Each structure stands twice: as structure tokens, then as C-alpha cells.
Amino acid sequence: RRPKLGCLAPETLSYLRNMYRLFFLPVVCGVVLSPLKGRNKPQCGSSHPDGRAVGNFSDGRNDRCFSVVTPADAPHPMPVVFWFHGAKGNAKDCGASGPGSEMGALAVKHGFALVCGEGVQGIFGPGGQWDIPEVITDSTGTPCSPEDSTEIVYFNEILKSLSEHPDTYDVNRLYFSGCSMGAGMSQYLGVCTKKAAPSVVSAFATHSTGLKIKDDGLMWRPDNHQPQYFWSECPRCKYYPQKVEKYDDPVGLKACVFDNKQDPDDRDPFFYKSSVQLAEAWGAVGNRVETHWGQGGHCEFESFEAVVQCLDDGTGELVRK
């Protein structure tokens, strides 16, 4: 149930209502709305001609699923691009409708498999949410074990499923992308995959969520684990959704950072500021970074083609020449 907002000035009330619609704000005027409890209800599916849902596996706590678009006429085995939805989203119609739908057409055009991940539904809040670790500091680094996040188990199960079809999916060529909280997942799994198997991932892409650092002054969505805090602001926290490090293996790890200068609005574009912060921090340690700043609001892409081209980085490993 929504908290009463009568303690706020009218302009602040209007602003917070906008934020509530965007990603469910559970802390207002001292009222904390706890994460919802219950069982996950997978929503995966796709009306794309080459799409299907894959389910019936567990992350250790919840039943999970993913959706995949496998272009019938693409050369095999094909590289795999992951797409992660934002908070409250799902993988109900992968590559066919909703945010990220243009990636389905690009999968056919360029000949890659599109995997749409799905966060647990109704566990941390309304709709799909991702289980990104809460405590990320200089000493912890980015925590990437199954004990740190159920998403590591989930991701490994996806790879296991894809690996059962080695003539179709090349799990040695993985790319990550997403919007809003899905951009957090893109960073998190991009970094964790790089740590586990450096040669299989060379780039990740983000839109509308970059890097949150403790005490940076950015308003944010509440921490799924302790919703009285914003992400990165709990007593033991420092970063969200990963700790920036240098990756100096032969392929490296490129950050493709996209956002709009009015994200989420021109009054306080804190998501855009977090994207700038990510780009600056990523480049400062010597990693490759490419930025695209547009005009508009949250998760409003000017070009998904630009995302794919950035991930490919002129290698021809992802984009057909």
C-alpha cells in the first residue's frame, strides 16, 4: 500500500509520485514498505517468430526462466547477447515488444542469439527485480560467488542450457546489455563473467544506470535488501552495482555507456549523472569506454543499433560485415 504523502511540499510530492511510478519508492516520510514475500511466478515468453521461453530450473530459492530469440538463418554457432530488463519488468515477450524489443530485429539482422533474462517477480517489490549484492566495497571487490547472489546460479543455469546446443550457441562469445536496474545487471554479470572466464566477454552496455558511490549525493532507488537506504548508502556499503577495476587481459572489458541528459527528468538527472560517473571511473583506471549522450528520459534509447555496434567494437565478432 502506498504511504501517505501529506508531509511533503507540493512540488516534492509531484516529483516523488513520478519516481514512484518509475521504480516504486518504498521510503517516504519515515515509512518503510518492506519487500514483498511470496513465490516467484516466471513470466518468460516471446511472440518473436524465432523466440521461445526456457524454464523449469532453480536458482536455489526460486523457480526461474529465460527467453531466447534464435535467428533461424544466422550462421551457427552464434554469439549471445544478454538483455536485462529494468525494475518491475519481465521477459514476457523477448525481442518482440516492450523495452529492448528492437534487439530482436537486430538479432536477426546481425545473426546473434538474444537472451532476455528475468528477475524474480514480486519478491523484492512489484514485478521483476534483480538480486544484486548489497555490500560492495574496496575490500570486497565485486562479490561474484553463488553465496553472494542468486543471479550467479541463475546465469550459470542459463549457460548450462545454452551449452547443451553447442552447434547453435557460442557461449565463448557473450555480451551484456540492459536498462535501468537491468543496466546494473549488465555491469554486474559482465564483471563477474570477466573474472571467471576473461576471454568470453569483451564488452557490456548500459542505459539509465551507471555507477552509484556512497555519499555522492545522487537520489536513487532503495536498496532491495535494506529499503531504508539507497543502494550504496548502507553502513557497510560503498558501490553499486560493481566496483570498478582495471581489466588488462588481451580482450579487456569495454563499457558502452548510454543515457539521456534529462534522465529521469531535467530537474534532477541523477541517473544520467551516475552514467557519467561510471564512464569517468571506468576510463580513469585504463579500461576502454564509449559514451553516447542523448536527449530524453529514462530508458529512452535513440539507437539500439548503436548499442550493438559499440559491443562489437569493430571486431566483426558480433556484427555481420
Side-chain angles (χ1 to χ4, degrees), residues 21 62 97 103 187 206 209 220 244 276-277:
R21 287 193 296 271
N62 295 285
S97 67
M103 293 292 277
Q187 293 180 61
T206 66
T209 285
W220 209 254
V244 171
V276 172
Q277 190 159 255

Side-chain angles (χ1 to χ4, degrees), residues 265-283:
D265 63 20
D266 55 7
R267 173 180 172 180
D268 183 11
F270 57 87
F271 281 125
Y272 166 68
K273 292 177 183 177
S274 77
S275 293
V276 172
Q277 190 159 255
L278 169 62
E280 291 177 347
W282 201 255

Side-chain angles (χ1 to χ4, degrees), residues 8-76:
L8 301 175
E11 64 273 14
T12 305
L13 175 61
S14 175
Y15 179 63
L16 287 179
R17 280 174 172 160
N18 180 46
M19 294 301 99
Y20 194 104
R21 287 193 296 271
L22 187 61
F23 45 63
F24 180 70
L25 187 68
V27 186
V28 179
C29 297
V31 177
V32 178
L33 302 186
S34 299
L36 303 180
K37 304 297 182 182
R39 294 179 61 85
N40 185 42
K41 296 180 180 180
Q43 305 290 315
C44 299
S46 179
S47 63
H48 191 285
D50 296 319
R52 64 187 177 95
V54 180
N56 300 317
F57 61 88
S58 173
D59 65 9
R61 297 181 187 174
N62 295 285
D63 295 332
R64 300 292 292 269
C65 66
F66 68 95
S67 302
V68 59
V69 174
T70 309
D73 297 329
H76 288 31

